[in-house]
Amino acid sequence: MHYTTVILGAGAAGMMCAAHAGGSVLVVDHAKAPGEKIRISGGGRCNFTNMHCTPDAFICANPHFAKSALARYTQWDFIELVDAHGITWHEKTLGQLFCDISAKQIVAMLHALMQKSGVDLHLNSSLEGIEKTDIGFKMTLIGPDGGTPVTVTADHLVIASGGKSIPKMGATGRAYDIANQFGIPVTPTRAGLVPFTFTDARFAPISGTAVPARVTAGDTTFDEALLFTHRGLSGPAILQASSYWDEGTEITLNILPSNDLLVKLREQRQIYGRRNFTTELAQHLPGRLVDHLANQFDLTGNLADWSDARLQTLCDTLSNWTMTPTGTEGYRTAEVTLGGIDTNALSSKTMETKTIPRLYFIGESVDVTGWLGGYNFQWAWSSAMAAARDIAKP
């Protein structure tokens, strides 16, 4: 069988590319269904893009690499596509867009676009023995029944098999193996957008407690919710910070991001000075968290016993609460993979490798990682379109 394009991976990037590449297209995936990560994303509603998507929201060894693809296929382009298919959506917070009904609508839309373009989709299948030929690529397609292998040739080969995150969904890191085979450099990878862990289970007693917070890792700070868990710390602010955290380094929590606790406690002292300090502090922080803090810091006495200096010291402490995570939960729960195919080896306009003509890498496999909140899906759409448009050009 010969195809204009063979795409490895039926996820967000692979399906998007297949739907727009033109010519004859074969998509191969070892999963039982296409778009499985789309289906489970956003609590089943798929945070499919972000209204504020800019290159500044992406981590890459080359901070300029993502600019071209993101500019040539924007969040507004994808929103227009979603609208055209009658999928209703809403903005949740911080520009995050979700389907009103179900993430399955995004999968169905992409699948419909693929069918309209005559794309062949082989699931429960794999590509083996990939090799470069004088005119394209040659590989072996092994179907779900493990029957007779079929030789497949293609003019173009697109690797859209993702990274290592969430292996229970089928992630394997196959893209990096293919890159190594063809001499394409791969930057070190690690789990991103992932909860922090502590071996002492210090936050287990307050697991499930959430607060607004400002979390800093390295030189980067995020203001969103923080969630205490049995294993450590999670929530949007933590997931965001994890992508900027280096193992063995501190993170800083500010659980008083509004910075008005001192004023409020001083006002309460005038009226409720005889009340227990922790009782009054619990007016501003969850009671379970106050109990936990009482085990960490001296919160004894009535509110009247607390001087301005003592109140200031506590507020400073809770605004600059430093700790060193033991690690993260790793790829098991990570939403993305940091690192990947070295962008210096790719064209920023087409995603084609510079040394192997007609070989493309798109989506999560590439060393481009977005913030939490729809940015990584937008990278999938944008990088897929960059490759598809190059393949489809006359």
Side-chain angles (χ1 to χ4, degrees):
M1 295 188 294
H2 180 79
Y3 291 88
T4 305
T5 305
V6 168
I7 299 175
L8 179 60
M15 296 177 75
M16 187 71 170
C17 184
H20 296 90
S24 57
V25 178
L26 167 67
V27 178
V28 178
D29 199 300
H30 61 195
K32 296 179 180 179
E36 282 294 87
K37 276 193 176 181
I38 300 175
R39 181 182 61 80
I40 68 167
S41 66
R45 296 289 183 89
C46 186
N47 181 191
F48 56 81
T49 192
N50 194 292
M51 294 177 69
H52 308 310
C53 189
T54 65
D56 294 339
F58 293 83
I59 303 169
C60 177
N62 177 358
H64 301 291
F65 180 82
K67 291 180 178 179
S68 177
L70 292 172
R72 294 170 64 220
Y73 191 84
T74 70
Q75 60 269 40
W76 311 112
D77 293 319
F78 193 76
I79 292 170
E80 182 179 355
L81 181 65
V82 168
D83 288 342
H85 284 78
I87 300 174
T88 57
W89 50 271
H90 60 278
E91 179 184 358
K92 193 172 181 181
T93 57
L94 304 174
Q96 302 172 23
L97 304 188
F98 292 79
C99 298
D100 284 346
I101 299 175
S102 172
K104 294 179 181 179
Q105 294 176 286
I106 300 296
V107 179
M109 176 189 76
L110 294 172
H111 195 211
L113 287 170
M114 288 169 57
Q115 289 181 317
K116 183 178 180 181
S117 297
V119 174
D120 286 346
L121 175 61
H122 285 245
L123 299 170
N124 289 307
S125 303
S126 63
L127 290 177
E128 305 297 338
I130 300 172
E131 61 182 85
K132 185 74 175 70
T133 67
D134 291 339
I135 58 173
F137 298 88
K138 179 181 178 181
M139 60 218 88
T140 301
L141 174 64
I142 300 177
D145 58 0
T148 304
V150 177
T151 298
V152 177
T153 58
D155 300 324
H156 307 85
L157 175 61
V158 180
I159 308 302
S161 53
K164 298 178 180 179
S165 60
I166 318 183
K168 71 178 181 179
M169 299 300 296
T172 63
R174 177 82 187 280
Y176 314 134
D177 296 334
I178 294 173
N180 290 330
Q181 175 188 337
F182 288 106
I184 308 300
V186 178
T187 66
T189 60
R190 62 184 178 89
L193 298 180
V194 63
F196 287 127
T197 59
F198 296 81
T199 53
D200 57 8
R202 66 184 68 179
F203 298 120
I206 57 172
S207 176
T209 301
V211 292
R214 180 170 297 143
V215 180
T216 302
D219 297 325
T220 307
T221 299
F222 292 95
D223 282 29
E224 289 192 68
L226 178 152
L227 175 68
F228 297 97
T229 72
H230 279 94
R231 301 191 66 190
L233 297 171
S234 189
I238 291 296
L239 300 185
Q240 297 278 40
S242 71
S243 294
Y244 294 85
W245 178 72
D246 292 322
E247 187 172 356
T249 62
E250 288 185 336
I251 62 171
T252 301
L253 310 184
N254 177 356
I255 59 173
L256 307 176
S258 62
N259 202 33
D260 59 0
L261 181 62
L262 176 61
V263 173
K264 291 182 177 180
L265 289 176
R266 290 177 65 185
E267 292 173 350
Q268 288 170 252
R269 188 175 58 187
Q270 300 299 316
I271 305 172
Y272 307 112
R274 293 184 179 182
R275 293 183 180 178
N276 186 281
F277 178 77
T278 54
T279 299
E280 292 306 297
L281 184 60
Q283 300 297 315
H284 309 286
L285 295 172
R288 294 173 66 204
L289 176 57
V290 172
D291 292 341
H292 177 80
L293 294 173
N295 293 324
Q296 307 295 314
F297 312 110
D298 179 13
L299 303 184
T300 58
N302 294 330
L303 183 53
D305 300 328
W306 281 66
S307 65
D308 284 355
R310 189 180 179 191
L311 290 174
Q312 183 68 65
T313 297
L314 176 64
C315 290
D316 290 344
T317 299
L318 299 184
S319 298
N320 192 41
W321 189 7
T322 60
M323 60 194 71
T324 303
T326 304
T328 72
E329 292 190 1
Y331 292 117
R332 182 180 66 85
T333 60
E335 298 206 13
V336 293
T337 302
L338 288 157
I341 307 303
D342 192 333
T343 56
N344 288 324
L346 305 177
S347 163
S348 63
K349 293 183 178 180
T350 66
M351 301 294 122
E352 183 182 23
T353 61
K354 295 177 180 178
T355 55
I356 308 293
R358 300 182 181 183
L359 174 64
Y360 304 77
F361 287 88
I362 60 176
E364 188 184 352
S365 68
V366 180
D367 176 27
V368 175
T369 303
W371 289 351
L372 183 73
Y375 295 94
N376 288 292
F377 271 128
Q378 185 57 47
W379 172 247
W381 318 135
S382 297
S383 61
M385 289 300 294
R389 286 167 171 167
D390 189 62
I391 293 169
K393 69 184 180 183

